[in-house]
Amino acid sequence: MKNINKMSRREILKKGTLGATGVAAATLLGSNTLAAQQENGKVFTSQITAKTAFITGGARGIGLAAAEELAKAGINIVLFDIATEDIPHVGYKLSSESDLVDAKKKIESLNVKCLAIKGDVRNIDDLKNAMQKTVDTFGSLDILVANAGVTQVGAIEEFSPQEIDVVYDINVAGIIKTTQAAAPFMKQQKSGRMVFLSSALGRMGNELFPVYASTKWAIIGFAKSAALTYGKDNIMCNVVAPGLVRTKLADNPYVLGKMMPNNPDSTFDGISETLKPGNPIPVGHLEPEDVAKAIALFTSDATNKVTGEVFDVSYGSLSRSIA
Ligand SMILES: NC(=O)c1ccc[n+]([C@@H]2O[C@H](COP(=O)([O-])OP(=O)(O)OC[C@H]3O[C@@H](n4cnc5c(N)ncnc54)[C@H](O)[C@@H]3O)[C@@H](O)[C@H]2O)c1
């Protein structure tokens, strides 16, 4: 096999930013990009990097991990995040402005360009302005990771109308608005990748997360509809459905306290240990990087002709579900 480090820059450009064999190639080409940048001490980033990814909820967690994974493949990144810790009717803190600034620095340290944009997926103008800025700055919008989301825990009758509204406005209407804002650019380009974040709870019922679970089912229905709509424009629309992931969405006092009400000292690792024995592989949770690799797969050449699919990244727990 040809040594990738010995590939000429012309070959790299011809091949594009992602190679032919999915994540492994993407990662390999990422390091190759760095090698090329270091060639003769010159920086070639702008010549090599032809692609741009727009990631909602990119200031931390799965969104930031996806940004890092794609940046390693030489892809320029736009991090779009509400960057406001406290919003009404959400029981835990979202990202702060400094989280978003730190995330941008992290991405830039990977030798790609990064825009950090504060905005709310509930606001179509925020999204349209941010996408326009993306294309004005980088020339294209190739990858959308519709990832921003919030969770809620409790029994069905506990939720106030405002709590129901906020999770639907962000998780469902927010994803639809994000798609509406991105699609015109991708249609014009006649290419694009949209990756939607659902959840293992979008594949089954759950009495502790009934409202959240229903939003995650809705995302799959919408993503499949987007796949039908945009296939003719060469835009692939797929879903990643993770199990429990170590992020601040799950690892916070509000969620942990509701998941284990009889244990005031409940921790994320404690819940992970409790879940482990019930899973086919002895894993109770994922790290954000595990999910990022699946997201990257749906942006790679390996999935050129794959659309409307759901990728369960759930340590085998979905093996018990119907197909
Ligand atoms: N953590 C898990 O266990 C888990 C499991 C399955 C699916 N998911 C899904 O993955 C996605 C990312 O979750 P995470 O675990 O990284 O959560 P997280 O809370 O760590 O990150 C979510 C990010 O979205 C941002 N955000 C929230 N509302 C927003 C809005 N209205 N507009 C713009 N940005 C907004 C937050 O500020 C935060 O930076 C979500 O859709 C979530 O439902 C998470």
Side-chain angles (χ1 to χ4, degrees):
M1 196 179 131
K2 190 169 183 173
N3 182 342
I4 193 99
N5 288 321
K6 293 205 176 121
M7 281 171 80
S8 69
R9 224 157 14 98
R10 180 184 294 272
E11 284 174 284
I12 297 166
L13 287 167
K14 222 168 113 192
K15 210 166 163 51
T17 46
L18 287 173
T21 51
V23 177
T27 308
L28 203 56
L29 263 175
S31 48
N32 194 44
T33 303
L34 289 178
Q37 284 167 7
Q38 285 154 5
E39 195 183 310
N40 299 326
K42 290 181 187 161
V43 175
F44 298 116
T45 315
S46 59
Q47 293 170 37
I48 293 171
T49 302
K51 294 195 176 182
T52 306
F54 187 103
I55 302 173
T56 67
R60 74 181 189 198
I62 295 169
L64 178 56
E68 290 181 77
E69 187 72 20
L70 296 176
K72 284 181 201 159
I75 293 171
N76 290 325
I77 302 292
V78 181
L79 302 171
F80 178 94
D81 202 287
I82 196 165
T84 304
E85 285 187 301
D86 295 301
I87 68 167
H89 312 296
V90 172
Y92 61 98
K93 287 193 184 303
L94 302 181
S95 290
S96 63
E97 275 187 25
S98 67
D99 289 332
L100 185 54
V101 170
D102 290 348
K104 178 176 172 2
K105 284 187 196 145
K106 206 168 192 181
I107 297 304
E108 284 170 341
S109 75
L110 297 168
N111 294 317
V112 294
K113 293 178 185 147
C114 180
L115 282 180
I117 301 178
K118 180 170 170 159
D120 190 333
V121 295
R122 293 172 292 180
N123 184 327
I124 186 74
D125 290 332
D126 282 2
L127 288 160
K128 282 184 175 170
N129 292 337
M131 307 262 181
Q132 189 62 56
K133 178 136 181 94
T134 300
V135 174
D136 291 345
T137 307
F138 296 133
S140 65
L141 198 175
D142 307 286
I143 295 164
L144 172 68
V145 184
N147 162 81
V150 293
T151 197
Q152 270 175 350
V153 206
I156 290 176
E157 290 163 47
E158 279 178 24
F159 296 106
S160 69
Q162 294 85 352
E163 284 175 316
I164 298 166
D165 286 349
V166 76
V167 73
Y168 265 83
D169 285 349
I170 295 175
N171 292 12
V172 183
I175 286 225
I176 297 169
K177 289 173 190 166
T178 302
T179 305
Q180 287 178 327
F185 295 103
M186 292 186 174
K187 279 161 71 178
Q188 201 174 19
Q189 291 163 196
K190 283 276 171 215
S191 72
R193 301 298 182 98
M194 295 187 184
V195 186
F196 300 89
L197 264 293
S198 174
S199 165
L201 299 184
R203 312 282 272 160
M204 59 176 91
N206 189 293
E207 62 272 50
L208 252 186
F209 293 85
V211 181
Y212 175 75
S214 67
T215 67
K216 293 291 161 179
W217 279 80
I219 288 166
I220 295 176
F222 176 72
K224 285 181 180 283
S225 303
L228 291 170
T229 306
Y230 299 126
K232 63 181 180 310
D233 298 302
N234 191 30
I235 301 168
M236 305 299 136
C237 302
N238 293 292
V239 179
V240 173
L244 180 66
V245 189
R246 188 196 297 277
T247 70
K248 289 183 179 160
L249 174 143
D251 190 358
N252 67 65
Y254 160 72
V255 170
L256 297 178
K258 292 252 186 182
M259 283 181 88
M260 285 196 161
N262 300 324
N263 179 2
D265 301 322
S266 63
T267 60
F268 183 86
D269 285 320
I271 286 173
S272 173
E273 282 302 315
T274 312
L275 294 175
K276 205 191 267 187
N279 292 324
I281 53 175
V283 169
H285 74 274
L286 303 164
E287 299 298 334
E289 299 72 33
D290 299 321
V291 185
K293 286 184 168 32
I295 294 170
L297 183 66
F298 278 136
T299 72
S300 77
D301 290 352
T303 52
N304 267 346
K305 295 182 180 116
V306 176
T307 195
E309 301 290 351
V310 182
F311 187 171
D312 297 315
V313 186
S314 65
Y315 31 80
S317 63
L318 270 297
S319 307
R320 293 201 176 83
S321 298
I322 56 166

